[in-house]
mmCIF file of all heavy atoms in Angstrom:
data_model
loop_
_atom_site.group_PDB
_atom_site.id
_atom_site.type_symbol
_atom_site.label_atom_id
_atom_site.label_comp_id
_atom_site.label_asym_id
_atom_site.label_seq_id
_atom_site.Cartn_x
_atom_site.Cartn_y
_atom_site.Cartn_z
ATOM 1 N N SER A 1 0.569 0.660 7.587
ATOM 2 C CA SER A 1 1.400 1.833 8.026
ATOM 3 C C SER A 1 2.114 2.311 6.678
ATOM 4 O O SER A 1 1.463 2.390 5.604
ATOM 5 C CB SER A 1 2.212 1.469 9.123
ATOM 6 O OG SER A 1 1.509 1.000 10.287
ATOM 7 N N ALA A 2 3.359 2.405 6.756
ATOM 8 C CA ALA A 2 4.193 2.904 5.593
ATOM 9 C C ALA A 2 4.493 1.736 4.660
ATOM 10 O O ALA A 2 5.025 1.896 3.485
ATOM 11 C CB ALA A 2 5.480 3.528 6.115
ATOM 12 N N ASP A 3 4.141 0.511 5.049
ATOM 13 C CA ASP A 3 4.638 -0.778 4.242
ATOM 14 C C ASP A 3 3.910 -0.713 2.852
ATOM 15 O O ASP A 3 4.497 -1.137 1.851
ATOM 16 C CB ASP A 3 4.112 -2.013 4.918
ATOM 17 C CG ASP A 3 4.664 -2.126 6.355
ATOM 18 O OD1 ASP A 3 5.791 -1.500 6.632
ATOM 19 O OD2 ASP A 3 3.971 -2.828 7.156
ATOM 20 N N GLY A 4 2.564 -0.242 2.829
ATOM 21 C CA GLY A 4 1.997 -0.248 1.553
ATOM 22 C C GLY A 4 2.617 0.612 0.445
ATOM 23 O O GLY A 4 2.738 0.182 -0.628
ATOM 24 N N ALA A 5 2.934 1.801 0.827
ATOM 25 C CA ALA A 5 3.648 2.786 -0.131
ATOM 26 C C ALA A 5 4.961 2.143 -0.576
ATOM 27 O O ALA A 5 5.282 2.212 -1.723
ATOM 28 C CB ALA A 5 3.766 4.052 0.529
ATOM 29 N N ARG A 6 5.702 1.529 0.253
ATOM 30 C CA ARG A 6 6.991 0.924 -0.015
ATOM 31 C C ARG A 6 6.782 -0.264 -1.011
ATOM 32 O O ARG A 6 7.495 -0.400 -2.001
ATOM 33 C CB ARG A 6 7.642 0.475 1.144
ATOM 34 C CG ARG A 6 9.038 -0.079 0.928
ATOM 35 C CD ARG A 6 9.872 -0.486 2.133
ATOM 36 N NE ARG A 6 11.161 -0.156 2.009
ATOM 37 C CZ ARG A 6 11.836 0.740 2.678
ATOM 38 N NH1 ARG A 6 11.340 1.285 3.683
ATOM 39 N NH2 ARG A 6 13.060 1.001 2.396
ATOM 40 N N ILE A 7 5.778 -1.110 -0.730
ATOM 41 C CA ILE A 7 5.581 -2.264 -1.721
ATOM 42 C C ILE A 7 5.100 -1.715 -3.026
ATOM 43 O O ILE A 7 5.560 -2.255 -4.064
ATOM 44 C CB ILE A 7 4.544 -3.200 -0.987
ATOM 45 C CG1 ILE A 7 5.163 -3.834 0.257
ATOM 46 C CG2 ILE A 7 4.210 -4.334 -2.057
ATOM 47 C CD1 ILE A 7 4.117 -4.612 1.079
ATOM 48 N N LEU A 8 4.324 -0.764 -3.015
ATOM 49 C CA LEU A 8 3.807 -0.240 -4.304
ATOM 50 C C LEU A 8 4.948 0.384 -5.171
ATOM 51 O O LEU A 8 5.082 0.154 -6.388
ATOM 52 C CB LEU A 8 2.794 0.965 -4.053
ATOM 53 C CG LEU A 8 1.421 0.552 -3.805
ATOM 54 C CD1 LEU A 8 0.631 1.777 -3.202
ATOM 55 C CD2 LEU A 8 0.704 -0.007 -4.962
ATOM 56 N N ARG A 9 5.931 1.112 -4.450
ATOM 57 C CA ARG A 9 7.077 1.631 -5.032
ATOM 58 C C ARG A 9 8.050 0.566 -5.637
ATOM 59 O O ARG A 9 8.501 0.573 -6.700
ATOM 60 C CB ARG A 9 7.804 2.493 -4.084
ATOM 61 C CG ARG A 9 9.033 3.183 -4.759
ATOM 62 C CD ARG A 9 10.006 3.802 -3.683
ATOM 63 N NE ARG A 9 10.702 2.640 -3.023
ATOM 64 C CZ ARG A 9 11.096 2.603 -1.892
ATOM 65 N NH1 ARG A 9 11.047 3.691 -1.092
ATOM 66 N NH2 ARG A 9 11.856 1.660 -1.369
ATOM 67 N N ASP A 10 8.257 -0.506 -4.771
ATOM 68 C CA ASP A 10 9.242 -1.527 -5.020
ATOM 69 C C ASP A 10 8.740 -2.561 -6.035
ATOM 70 O O ASP A 10 9.630 -3.240 -6.718
ATOM 71 C CB ASP A 10 9.769 -2.192 -3.837
ATOM 72 C CG ASP A 10 10.589 -1.344 -2.881
ATOM 73 O OD1 ASP A 10 10.982 -0.187 -3.304
ATOM 74 O OD2 ASP A 10 10.799 -1.666 -1.660
ATOM 75 N N PHE A 11 7.442 -2.757 -6.269
ATOM 76 C CA PHE A 11 6.796 -3.679 -7.130
ATOM 77 C C PHE A 11 5.757 -3.045 -8.026
ATOM 78 O O PHE A 11 4.623 -3.534 -7.919
ATOM 79 C CB PHE A 11 6.409 -4.943 -6.389
ATOM 80 C CG PHE A 11 7.425 -5.605 -5.636
ATOM 81 C CD1 PHE A 11 7.724 -5.402 -4.320
ATOM 82 C CD2 PHE A 11 8.295 -6.519 -6.304
ATOM 83 C CE1 PHE A 11 8.852 -6.006 -3.659
ATOM 84 C CE2 PHE A 11 9.400 -7.168 -5.695
ATOM 85 C CZ PHE A 11 9.570 -6.892 -4.232
ATOM 86 N N PRO A 12 6.149 -2.067 -8.795
ATOM 87 C CA PRO A 12 5.069 -1.336 -9.531
ATOM 88 C C PRO A 12 4.410 -2.275 -10.540
ATOM 89 O O PRO A 12 4.918 -3.212 -11.161
ATOM 90 C CB PRO A 12 5.813 -0.335 -10.265
ATOM 91 C CG PRO A 12 7.220 -0.696 -10.365
ATOM 92 C CD PRO A 12 7.405 -1.616 -9.115
ATOM 93 N N GLY A 13 2.988 -2.004 -10.635
ATOM 94 C CA GLY A 13 2.206 -2.759 -11.608
ATOM 95 C C GLY A 13 1.698 -4.173 -11.188
ATOM 96 O O GLY A 13 1.101 -4.854 -11.874
ATOM 97 N N LYS A 14 2.171 -4.695 -9.924
ATOM 98 C CA LYS A 14 1.705 -6.012 -9.539
ATOM 99 C C LYS A 14 1.263 -5.982 -8.105
ATOM 100 O O LYS A 14 1.196 -7.028 -7.414
ATOM 101 C CB LYS A 14 2.832 -6.963 -9.773
ATOM 102 C CG LYS A 14 4.077 -6.880 -8.929
ATOM 103 C CD LYS A 14 5.220 -7.768 -9.410
ATOM 104 C CE LYS A 14 5.289 -9.026 -8.788
ATOM 105 N NZ LYS A 14 6.317 -9.938 -9.143
ATOM 106 N N VAL A 15 0.805 -4.814 -7.505
ATOM 107 C CA VAL A 15 0.305 -4.686 -6.098
ATOM 108 C C VAL A 15 -1.096 -4.288 -6.050
ATOM 109 O O VAL A 15 -1.526 -3.325 -6.825
ATOM 110 C CB VAL A 15 1.229 -3.800 -5.341
ATOM 111 C CG1 VAL A 15 0.669 -3.592 -4.017
ATOM 112 C CG2 VAL A 15 2.707 -4.151 -5.327
ATOM 113 N N MET A 16 -1.929 -4.936 -5.334
ATOM 114 C CA MET A 16 -3.281 -4.612 -5.018
ATOM 115 C C MET A 16 -3.281 -4.186 -3.537
ATOM 116 O O MET A 16 -3.051 -5.039 -2.660
ATOM 117 C CB MET A 16 -4.304 -5.709 -5.320
ATOM 118 C CG MET A 16 -5.631 -5.242 -4.900
ATOM 119 S SD MET A 16 -6.888 -6.684 -5.123
ATOM 120 C CE MET A 16 -6.829 -6.989 -6.897
ATOM 121 N N LEU A 17 -3.557 -2.976 -3.328
ATOM 122 C CA LEU A 17 -3.452 -2.486 -1.842
ATOM 123 C C LEU A 17 -5.000 -2.175 -1.351
ATOM 124 O O LEU A 17 -5.657 -1.403 -1.995
ATOM 125 C CB LEU A 17 -2.607 -1.195 -1.757
ATOM 126 C CG LEU A 17 -2.217 -0.736 -0.456
ATOM 127 C CD1 LEU A 17 -1.364 -1.808 0.355
ATOM 128 C CD2 LEU A 17 -1.439 0.582 -0.618
ATOM 129 N N ILE A 18 -5.320 -2.909 -0.326
ATOM 130 C CA ILE A 18 -6.643 -2.662 0.360
ATOM 131 C C ILE A 18 -6.422 -1.887 1.621
ATOM 132 O O ILE A 18 -5.431 -2.083 2.399
ATOM 133 C CB ILE A 18 -7.238 -4.038 0.657
ATOM 134 C CG1 ILE A 18 -7.384 -4.904 -0.571
ATOM 135 C CG2 ILE A 18 -8.594 -3.896 1.418
ATOM 136 C CD1 ILE A 18 -8.256 -4.298 -1.672
ATOM 137 N N ASN A 19 -7.325 -0.918 1.947
ATOM 138 C CA ASN A 19 -7.195 -0.055 3.070
ATOM 139 C C ASN A 19 -7.781 -0.926 4.300
ATOM 140 O O ASN A 19 -8.681 -1.581 4.259
ATOM 141 C CB ASN A 19 -8.102 1.159 3.029
ATOM 142 C CG ASN A 19 -7.604 2.083 1.897
ATOM 143 O OD1 ASN A 19 -6.408 2.349 1.791
ATOM 144 N ND2 ASN A 19 -8.556 2.702 1.226
ATOM 145 N N GLY A 20 -7.005 -0.754 5.432
ATOM 146 C CA GLY A 20 -7.487 -1.340 6.685
ATOM 147 C C GLY A 20 -7.924 -0.264 7.636
ATOM 148 O O GLY A 20 -7.818 0.909 7.344
ATOM 149 N N ASN A 21 -8.627 -0.667 8.706
ATOM 150 C CA ASN A 21 -9.151 0.298 9.624
ATOM 151 C C ASN A 21 -8.087 1.294 10.284
ATOM 152 O O ASN A 21 -8.397 2.245 10.728
ATOM 153 C CB ASN A 21 -9.966 -0.418 10.792
ATOM 154 C CG ASN A 21 -9.175 -1.421 11.510
ATOM 155 O OD1 ASN A 21 -8.531 -2.426 10.966
ATOM 156 N ND2 ASN A 21 -9.017 -1.224 12.764
ATOM 157 N N CYS A 22 -6.875 0.836 10.295
ATOM 158 C CA CYS A 22 -5.714 1.616 10.859
ATOM 159 C C CYS A 22 -4.907 2.441 9.811
ATOM 160 O O CYS A 22 -4.053 3.073 10.123
ATOM 161 C CB CYS A 22 -4.785 0.719 11.601
ATOM 162 S SG CYS A 22 -5.440 -0.027 13.098
ATOM 163 N N ASP A 23 -5.284 2.454 8.511
ATOM 164 C CA ASP A 23 -4.548 2.985 7.453
ATOM 165 C C ASP A 23 -4.942 4.440 7.362
ATOM 166 O O ASP A 23 -5.990 4.849 6.874
ATOM 167 C CB ASP A 23 -4.789 2.242 6.075
ATOM 168 C CG ASP A 23 -4.089 1.025 6.111
ATOM 169 O OD1 ASP A 23 -2.963 0.913 6.690
ATOM 170 O OD2 ASP A 23 -4.640 0.124 5.481
ATOM 171 N N VAL A 24 -3.865 5.261 7.567
ATOM 172 C CA VAL A 24 -3.973 6.640 7.264
ATOM 173 C C VAL A 24 -2.512 7.134 6.816
ATOM 174 O O VAL A 24 -1.590 6.929 7.666
ATOM 175 C CB VAL A 24 -4.318 7.541 8.567
ATOM 176 C CG1 VAL A 24 -4.335 9.025 8.208
ATOM 177 C CG2 VAL A 24 -5.682 7.113 9.096
ATOM 178 N N PRO A 25 -2.356 7.678 5.604
ATOM 179 C CA PRO A 25 -3.506 7.870 4.695
ATOM 180 C C PRO A 25 -3.959 6.553 3.947
ATOM 181 O O PRO A 25 -3.296 5.618 4.093
ATOM 182 C CB PRO A 25 -2.693 8.758 3.657
ATOM 183 C CG PRO A 25 -1.269 8.263 3.722
ATOM 184 C CD PRO A 25 -1.029 7.905 5.112
ATOM 185 N N ARG A 26 -5.072 6.705 3.293
ATOM 186 C CA ARG A 26 -5.706 5.510 2.766
ATOM 187 C C ARG A 26 -5.118 5.550 1.189
ATOM 188 O O ARG A 26 -5.531 6.262 0.420
ATOM 189 C CB ARG A 26 -7.178 5.603 2.759
ATOM 190 C CG ARG A 26 -7.568 5.621 4.237
ATOM 191 C CD ARG A 26 -9.038 5.780 4.447
ATOM 192 N NE ARG A 26 -9.878 4.590 4.255
ATOM 193 C CZ ARG A 26 -9.955 3.603 5.141
ATOM 194 N NH1 ARG A 26 -9.222 3.481 6.134
ATOM 195 N NH2 ARG A 26 -10.658 2.494 4.847
ATOM 196 N N LEU A 27 -4.270 4.663 0.958
ATOM 197 C CA LEU A 27 -3.552 4.480 -0.351
ATOM 198 C C LEU A 27 -4.261 3.561 -1.243
ATOM 199 O O LEU A 27 -3.935 3.649 -2.510
ATOM 200 C CB LEU A 27 -2.056 4.057 -0.169
ATOM 201 C CG LEU A 27 -1.279 4.891 0.694
ATOM 202 C CD1 LEU A 27 0.136 4.338 0.914
ATOM 203 C CD2 LEU A 27 -1.022 6.326 0.120
ATOM 204 N N GLY A 28 -5.038 2.684 -0.817
ATOM 205 C CA GLY A 28 -5.668 1.750 -1.651
ATOM 206 C C GLY A 28 -7.151 1.857 -1.773
ATOM 207 O O GLY A 28 -7.712 2.940 -1.509
ATOM 208 N N GLU A 29 -7.775 0.738 -2.084
ATOM 209 C CA GLU A 29 -9.202 0.530 -2.171
ATOM 210 C C GLU A 29 -9.821 0.103 -0.927
ATOM 211 O O GLU A 29 -9.151 -0.682 -0.145
ATOM 212 C CB GLU A 29 -9.610 -0.404 -3.405
ATOM 213 C CG GLU A 29 -9.079 0.123 -4.709
ATOM 214 C CD GLU A 29 -9.688 1.493 -5.215
ATOM 215 O OE1 GLU A 29 -10.817 1.712 -4.956
ATOM 216 O OE2 GLU A 29 -8.854 2.135 -5.787
#
């Protein structure tokens, strides 16, 4: 949900975000 964008913002440069089947928008790989 919105957690991915928040983690990316709060911990720049150390996050790998993978898309799940419920993720819209798809922010990761």
Side-chain angles (χ1 to χ4, degrees):
S1 297
D3 307 330
R6 181 177 218 118
I7 295 167
L8 281 169
R9 182 197 72 209
D10 293 346
F11 299 94
K14 66 190 263 183
V15 178
M16 178 187 295
L17 191 61
I18 303 297
N19 295 320
N21 59 300
C22 295
D23 286 327
V24 177
R26 298 176 82 71
L27 300 174
E29 302 295 323

